[in-house]
Structure formats: C-alpha cells, structure tokens
Amino acid sequence: MHWRGRMFSRIALLLLLTVAGVGTAGDAASAAQDEPADSLAAYAARIVGDRARTRIVLEFDRRPEIAVRYIGKPDRIVVDLPSTVFTFPEADLEARGLFRDIRYGSMDAGSARLVLTADRPARLVASEVMANENGEGYRLVLDAEMVSQQDFEKLVNEQSWMTASVDDASASLRGGRVAAVERATTGAFVIAIDAGHGGIDAGATGAATKTQEKEITLAFAKALAERLKGEPGIEAFLVREGDEFLSLAERVTIARQRGANLLISFHADTLRQNNIRGATVYTISDKASDRMAADLAERENLSDAVGGVSYSSEPAEVSDILLDLTRRETQAFSISMADSVVKSFEGQVALINNPHRYAGFRVLQAHDVPSILLELGFLSNKEDEKQLLDPAWRVKIAELLAAAIKRYRLPVVANGG
Ligand code: ZN
C-alpha cells in the first residue's frame, strides 16, 4: 500500500544503466536519491460513500493522464497513471464502500497504478480530471456505482482487446529492457535471483518494525548477487532491480530470456501463528505438500491481482510429451537444489519442520528452468524479523546459498545440463 518515493530515481537510473549495459544494482543504490522532475505528486486523497456508491478523490500537483480498465477474477477497476509519488497518509485512502482493497504504487519507471478491488461488482460512472478552483493542482474524481455481475462481465469483455494491448505494451517495454541486456557468456551457469514482490505489491509487513517484505527480499537478492560476483563459471543477475512491480509471469519470462539455469525467489511472509519461525524451501507441485504450503502459494499468487494484471491473454497450457519430459527433468533438478539448500542451512540457520515443501507457486512454473522459492523466515515472528533485518545474517545466508549452489551445480554439469 505504500510507495517509497526515493526508490523511483534508482529504478529510472537502473533502467538507463541497464539499457546501456553497464549497470549493477550496487552502482544504482549508491546513486542520486532525488526524485526526477517528471514524477507527479499525489498529495491528498479521500474516499466517501457506501456499498451502493463510492467516490474517490485524489489531488495531484499536475494534470495526470489516466486510463481506466476493468479486470475480472477478482473484479477490479484499474486506473493507470503516469509515474506518481503518493505522499498522502495511507489512512486517507483505506478501502470502504464498494471496495474491499485499494492499492496504489509504482509499476515501472514511467507509470503508476491505482487498483480498486470491488467487494461487489462496480463501474465508474465518472472519472474526471479537473483543475482546482484556487488554481493549485488538479483533482481526479472517480465515482463508482454498483452494477450486476453480468454488467461487470460485459464491461470486462467489451474492452478486453484494450486490456490485452495495454498489458502487451507494458510487457514489451520490460521485454525490451531484457532484450537490451547482453546474454551471459556461453558456458556460464546463469542464476536468476528474484526478489519477491515490489512496487505496488509490498508483500508482508514486519510484526515489530513494519518493514515491508519487498525491501527485505531485494536486500537478500542483492547480497546473493554480490556474493556470487566473480565466482568462476557463474553469472548471477537480479530479476527485479528496484522498487518496481513485475507480474509472476514476467519474472519467469525474464529468467528464461536470459537463459537462466536456476531461479531462486526470495520471500519472507507472515503466518497467523506468530510463534512459528525458521526457513522453508519450496519447489513447484500441482498438489501441495501440506495446508501451510497451499495457503502460502495461494497468497503469493495473489501478487498479480494486487498489481492489476489480467490473464485474458495468457496462452492455454500446451500438452506436449517433450514439454512433459523437460518439466519432469526440471522438477528433479529443482528438488535436488532444494535439498542442497536444506543441507547448507542445517545446523546454521533455523529451519521449520520438514523444511522442503511444495505447492503451486506461479513464479516457479518455468518448465525448463529449475526453480526454488526460499522463505527465509517469517515476518510475523519477532526473532525471525530481527534476523531478516540483520546485515550480518544476510551475508551468512548469501554464503550458505553460494555453497548450496556450488554443490548443486556439480551433478548438473556432470549430466550435461
Ligand atoms: Zn512473499
């Protein structure tokens, strides 16, 4: 729900550096902290209304160009904005009336988004931008009214061609970023390091310090990339480089396009039982190993809903015997990597019972890239939270993971993978 304005310049800079082919996360993080002049500021917000009619007003310093879309499952109204820094208190735009969830934040360097998740189907009867009477700034007024489920679905279908083209446009923008980066030198073992969540999707929140999961995952991803730098035969890269939103499918695509041999996705979620602590390693499976794994995968897969991503243009699953074989082989490699991580962590890092679990995580679904999801600990547990924020513990984890990667890599290389 929260946007870190100062991250914006890092993302912008990263994009520039990445396109130029010279960037690293470390360089960007130490670079200028100022927000670029072209970002809009949304400095005030209010929401009024009931379950039949709800009005949202946002105050901007300059006129925003907006685009409205409707997405189903769950029913959402998505308002695309130019890059915007949201400076009003979160409490001013808390979900109410027709909406059960409201998120806003950055999508990438050039855009931001407001995602209104409907409690009951709703449509905008007005979405107007007008200059304030006192001549200071602009007001965006969104008036929503309840509609029948049928009418909402009609809205979604009528503009599906537009939805697809907008999603394609942003995907090709990011795809362009990926394509502009040179592939790793042939023969290197390529590792995609994925920092979970980002941008509009902040992930979980720490019980004691309120630190957001997206910041923690990025810090661990950078620590591992840093540790692997200069390791002979290994090329590691960050899937998410700053505070930007990437859909789960985009993360998989980025890993595949860069020829990754392994994907590691970092997370630090919360549980209702705040006494449970320790790390867990997940691999993909249609059937979850247990209830906790199933719940977690379900919550992680919600990331796309939070970011306002639709699946209307997602290709149907191809049934192909070769694909199946590849998938089975990839699955075996994923399991062997998970075992290697557990072995590295044993006696060094607190692990939950049965630390290797499995469930249907979307981010692990590349059929040809062995993938693991690492829950480093739980932000709902105060001891875990303390460790997750400790730079020394971060370095230790990076060290143990480097050892796990090297141990895993040996059989893979021997098998000609
Ligand atoms: Zn997470």
Side-chain angles (χ1 to χ4, degrees), residues 196-197 203-204 213 217 266-269 300 375:
H197 309 278
E213 184 185 358
T217 59
F266 283 110
H267 286 265
D269 282 274
E300 286 304 339
E375 283 284 351

Side-chain angles (χ1 to χ4, degrees), residues 18 23-25 177-178 181-184 189-195 218 221-222 224-226 228-229 234-241 246 250-264 266 369:
T18 310
T24 71
R177 184 190 81 189
V178 173
V181 177
E182 265 180 50
R183 277 205 172 211
F189 185 78
V190 181
I191 304 173
I193 307 177
D194 176 52
L218 188 60
K222 284 180 174 172
L224 180 59
E226 190 59 38
L228 293 174
K229 209 185 272 175
I234 291 181
E235 293 275 352
F237 70 93
L238 297 174
V239 174
R240 171 166 79 84
E241 298 164 324
L246 292 173
E250 276 174 328
R251 292 168 196 259
V252 173
T253 303
I254 288 171
R256 296 191 63 230
Q257 283 181 341
R258 301 230 356 210
N261 302 103
L262 175 67
L263 177 137
I264 302 177
F266 283 110
V369 183

Side-chain angles (χ1 to χ4, degrees), residues 24 28 83 149 162 192 199 222 383 403:
T24 71
S83 128
Q149 189 67 50
M162 198 181 81
K222 284 180 174 172
E383 285 151 276

Side-chain angles (χ1 to χ4, degrees), residues 6-36:
R6 64 175 185 279
M7 289 302 295
F8 177 82
S9 59
R10 297 188 192 177
I11 301 164
L13 191 77
L14 263 168
L15 286 169
L16 285 174
L17 290 174
T18 310
V19 169
V22 296
T24 71
D27 295 341
S30 58
Q33 301 281 313
D34 297 331
E35 277 143 24

